[in-house]
């Protein structure tokens, strides 16, 4: 790809192989097309949210094993799942395109950043709810596996359990894992490119922005900003050693803008291996498991996998990142004490 393509990326270092060589190049040409028609990046993000959420209805319409919900046709059940997969992939393409379009046209905004952060949740929350409904309708294989009698009472109990698993998977799994993954990408970009090259936010600054809003500020914008304060606070709460590192760097250099290049490079080298694992917490890897479990007709297994499998990956990435941040903070602190 040409230099113009790479200029639309946050950084090649924070993209996984599939994004860098397949998805992002395609999105680049989509961005070029949207730019010609002067379509705003936020409009593309909203399209993405609507299309992704619409896929939930098709995921709920049955499967190849059980057939569709109305006629029981295996072919129709499979077709519904394929349509759902295509819609969600389309939503993902648009979600990637909006950022590239914003960087291409210079139409970056705080609202765009907030919308981009909630897009994935707008897709997955209705999908998870309707997957619970799908389990309620179709669960013969799971009941047979565990030797459960297929009665109405057992169905309601099992569905309630799956709903709780979906709730944990959505709130702690999906939301928590992707929130951390997004944060670590922005952290890496901050040390790689500086403040202008990243979108690293903090809750204190977001609270100041909210407090400066007037009565004339649209209610929707105030609502999104309020939720974004909570979003950034949760990112900070799970990264105490990184927050300590930032505080130590500010104490030593007065401002993060004054951090020497050698310190930035040391952080980058320690961060790079973690970023590779961090990429598995983002959409491409998560999307694969969603498609697999739905096509295998065991969507409830997705919730278990996100809690256990993806949860283990989350803890590994978080622990590894926090560990090197602690060591780097101790090193900077020691150098300051020896001055």
């Amino acid at each position: 790809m040409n230099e113009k393509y790479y200029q639309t990326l946050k950084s090649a270092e924070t993209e996984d192989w599939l994004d860098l060589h397949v998805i992002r190049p395609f999105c680049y040409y989509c961005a070029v097309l949207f730019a010609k028609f002067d379509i705003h990046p936020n409009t593309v993000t909203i399209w993405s949210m609507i299309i992704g959420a619409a896929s939930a209805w098709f995921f709920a319409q049955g499967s190849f094993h059980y057939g569709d919900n109305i006629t029981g046709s295996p072919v129709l059940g499979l077709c519904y799942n394929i349509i759902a997969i295509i819609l969600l992939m389309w939503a993902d393409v648009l979600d990637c395109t909006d950022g590239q379009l914003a960087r291409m046209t210079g139409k970056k905004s705080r609202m765009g950043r907030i919308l981009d952060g909630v897009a994935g949740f707008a897709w997955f929350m209705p999908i998870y709810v309707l997957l619970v409904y799908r389990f309620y309708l179709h669960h013969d294989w799971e009941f047979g596996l565990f030797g459960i009698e297929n009665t109405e009472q057992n169905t309601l109990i099992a569905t309630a359990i799956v709903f709780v698993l979906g709730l944990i998977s959505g709130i702690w799994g999906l939301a928590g894992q992707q929130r951390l993954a997004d944060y670590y990408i922005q952290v890496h970009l901050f040390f790689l490119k500086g403040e202008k090259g990243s979108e690293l936010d903090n809750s204190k600054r977001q609270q100041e922005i909210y407090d400066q809003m007037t009565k004339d500020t649209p209610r929707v914008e105030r609502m999104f900003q309020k939720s974004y304060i909570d979003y950034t606070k949760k990112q900070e709460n799970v990264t105490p050693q990184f927050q300590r590192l930032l505080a130590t760097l500010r104490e030593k250099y007065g401002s993060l803008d004054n951090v020497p290049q050698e310190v930035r490079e040391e952080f980058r080298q320690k961060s790079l291996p973690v970023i590779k694992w961090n990429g598995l917490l983002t959409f491409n890897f998560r999307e694969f498991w969603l498609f697999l479990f739905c096509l295998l007709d065991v969507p409830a297994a997705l919730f278990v996998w996100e809690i256990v499998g993806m949860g283990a990956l989350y803890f590994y990435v978080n622990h590894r990142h926090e560990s090197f941040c602690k060591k780097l903070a101790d090193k900077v602190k020691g150098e300051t004490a020896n001055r």
Side-chain angles (χ1 to χ4, degrees):
M1 293 295 292
N2 57 35
E3 184 62 28
K4 289 183 178 179
Y5 159 67
Y6 285 101
Q7 290 174 355
T8 66
L9 302 179
K10 295 176 181 177
S11 168
E13 289 187 359
T14 57
E15 303 288 349
D16 60 39
W17 186 93
L18 183 63
D19 270 333
L20 185 62
H21 297 285
V22 180
I23 298 176
R24 290 293 186 178
F26 179 73
C27 293
Y28 169 76
Y29 291 112
C30 291
V32 171
L33 178 64
F34 291 151
K36 287 183 178 179
F37 289 95
D38 196 29
I39 297 175
H40 198 279
N42 290 357
T43 302
V44 178
T45 307
I46 293 170
W47 288 348
S48 167
M49 294 167 70
I50 294 171
I51 293 170
S55 71
W57 187 87
F58 291 92
F59 275 121
Q61 297 309 305
S63 61
F64 179 78
H65 178 72
Y66 296 107
D68 73 291
N69 295 342
I70 298 176
T71 68
S73 166
V75 174
L76 280 178
L78 178 61
C79 286
Y80 279 126
N81 277 263
I82 291 174
I83 291 171
I85 289 171
I86 292 172
L87 286 174
L88 197 53
M89 291 176 68
W90 184 11
D92 181 37
V93 166
L94 292 175
D95 187 50
C96 292
T97 300
D98 61 4
Q100 289 177 261
L101 178 62
R103 286 182 284 275
M104 179 186 295
T105 59
K107 295 179 179 179
K108 294 192 289 185
S109 65
R110 178 167 43 85
M111 180 56 69
R113 167 70 177 142
I114 295 172
L115 283 174
D116 192 54
V118 302
F121 306 141
W123 308 338
F124 277 96
M125 290 309 174
I127 289 174
Y128 283 13
V129 170
L130 288 183
L131 285 182
V132 173
Y133 173 69
R134 174 170 161 174
F135 174 84
Y136 171 75
L137 295 177
H138 309 293
H139 50 260
D140 293 353
W141 186 86
E142 291 90 338
F143 274 27
L145 179 66
F146 292 102
I148 301 172
E149 185 180 359
N150 194 359
T151 65
E152 182 63 23
Q153 182 179 14
N154 287 341
T155 296
L156 291 173
I157 294 172
T159 302
I161 293 172
V162 171
F163 176 79
V164 171
L165 289 174
L167 200 62
I168 297 171
S169 177
I171 295 175
W172 176 78
L174 169 68
Q177 292 162 13
Q178 294 206 155
R179 183 168 56 235
L180 182 76
D182 178 63
Y183 193 57
Y184 282 159
I185 288 172
Q186 300 308 326
V187 166
H188 186 85
L189 290 172
F190 176 80
F191 281 88
L192 177 66
K193 296 184 172 184
E195 188 173 1
K196 292 182 179 179
S198 77
E199 296 171 340
L200 184 62
D201 293 321
N202 63 78
S203 58
K204 182 179 179 181
R205 174 56 185 154
Q206 297 310 311
Q207 183 66 55
E208 290 173 353
I209 293 173
Y210 180 80
D211 292 339
Q212 291 168 6
M213 289 180 171
T214 66
K215 294 181 179 180
D216 296 329
T217 304
R219 182 175 296 181
V220 173
E221 188 174 346
R222 290 176 59 87
M223 180 187 69
F224 273 112
Q225 183 62 30
K226 190 70 173 177
S227 67
Y228 196 54
I229 295 169
D230 181 63
Y231 182 86
T232 51
K233 279 184 179 178
K234 288 177 178 177
Q235 289 176 323
E236 293 161 358
N237 289 340
V238 296
T239 56
Q241 293 302 327
F242 174 68
Q243 305 309 318
R244 175 172 169 259
L245 173 60
L246 288 181
T248 303
L249 292 173
R250 288 192 186 98
E251 180 183 346
K252 181 172 183 178
Y253 300 108
S255 168
L256 293 178
D257 292 333
N258 300 329
V259 176
Q261 184 57 38
E262 59 267 24
V263 177
R264 292 180 179 274
E265 182 59 24
E266 183 177 358
F267 183 96
R268 173 180 168 272
Q269 290 300 327
K270 293 179 182 297
S271 174
L272 269 174
V274 181
I275 285 295
K276 303 302 180 185
W277 288 101
N278 187 69
L280 298 180
L281 292 173
T282 56
F283 182 73
N284 289 338
F285 192 60
R286 191 179 305 277
E287 179 183 48
F288 166 79
W289 292 106
L290 169 64
F291 296 165
L292 177 65
F293 286 124
C294 284
L295 290 174
L296 290 177
D297 298 331
V298 285
L302 171 69
F303 303 148
V304 177
W305 166 251
E306 290 220 329
I307 295 169
V308 179
M310 297 292 285
L313 178 61
Y314 168 92
F315 282 118
Y316 172 75
V317 169
N318 185 230
H319 173 74
R320 189 165 173 181
H321 198 278
E322 286 286 279
S323 294
F324 83 71
C325 284
K326 181 180 185 301
K327 291 177 182 177
L328 190 54
D330 290 341
K331 179 181 177 180
V332 174
K333 197 81 171 177
E335 291 174 352
T336 303
N338 293 330
R339 289 176 63 182

